[in-house]
Amino acid sequence: QVQLVESGGGLVQAGGSLRLSCAASGRTSSNDVMGWFRQAPGKEREFVVATRWSGIRTPYLDSVKGRFTMSRDNAKKTVYLQMDNLKPEDTAVYYCAANKGLLSSTSSSYNYWGQGTQVTVSS
């Protein structure tokens, strides 16, 4: 089992920044893929970005390109999502997810999920 613990959400004004963290523990491996998803009220869960620990990464969700950056600290088994120039439409619960090697944008490809962290952007 892989455990994922997210932190860093909160309330921010439009144009502000937040950094989310996701720490992995348990039976992790260097082949694991780490991803970020989000789900706004009344909407489907949406893929944001994913990465291998090697640094190979998927493209970002179009609406966050140029504003969000995913990074990783392999030694800490932690991935981050730096979110800049936040917009009210970024308001959602953000989830960290992991799987055993499939670099995918599909939520069903991920076996392990964090508890989610709320991001609220006020206008």
Side-chain angles (χ1 to χ4, degrees):
Q1 290 284 354
V2 174
Q3 291 79 44
L4 303 173
V5 178
E6 300 132 338
S7 60
L11 173 63
V12 65
Q13 289 189 329
S17 297
L18 285 172
R19 188 177 81 154
L20 306 183
S21 300
C22 173
S25 62
R27 305 186 77 169
T28 62
S29 77
S30 59
N31 292 324
D32 291 347
V33 168
M34 303 291 291
W36 287 102
F37 290 78
R38 67 184 186 182
Q39 188 166 19
K43 294 190 176 181
E44 297 286 323
R45 190 166 295 187
E46 183 176 51
F47 173 76
V48 178
V49 66
T51 187
R52 294 187 184 281
W53 289 111
S54 65
I56 297 173
R57 180 181 44 75
T58 65
Y60 290 89
L61 176 69
D62 281 349
S63 61
V64 309
K65 283 180 182 176
R67 301 187 297 119
F68 288 14
T69 304
M70 185 176 190
S71 61
R72 72 207 187 282
D73 184 328
N74 291 31
K76 294 182 178 180
K77 296 183 182 179
T78 299
V79 294
Y80 305 95
L81 187 66
Q82 177 67 40
M83 305 185 294
D84 298 319
N85 191 21
L86 282 160
K87 303 177 180 181
E89 51 264 41
D90 295 318
T91 295
V93 177
Y94 283 71
Y95 295 92
C96 177
N99 70 44
K100 290 299 181 179
L102 181 61
L103 194 60
S104 170
S105 62
T106 306
S107 61
S108 60
S109 299
Y110 291 82
N111 310 101
Y112 307 103
W113 292 84
Q115 78 282 4
T117 186
Q118 177 70 47
V119 171
T120 303
V121 184
S122 63
S123 57

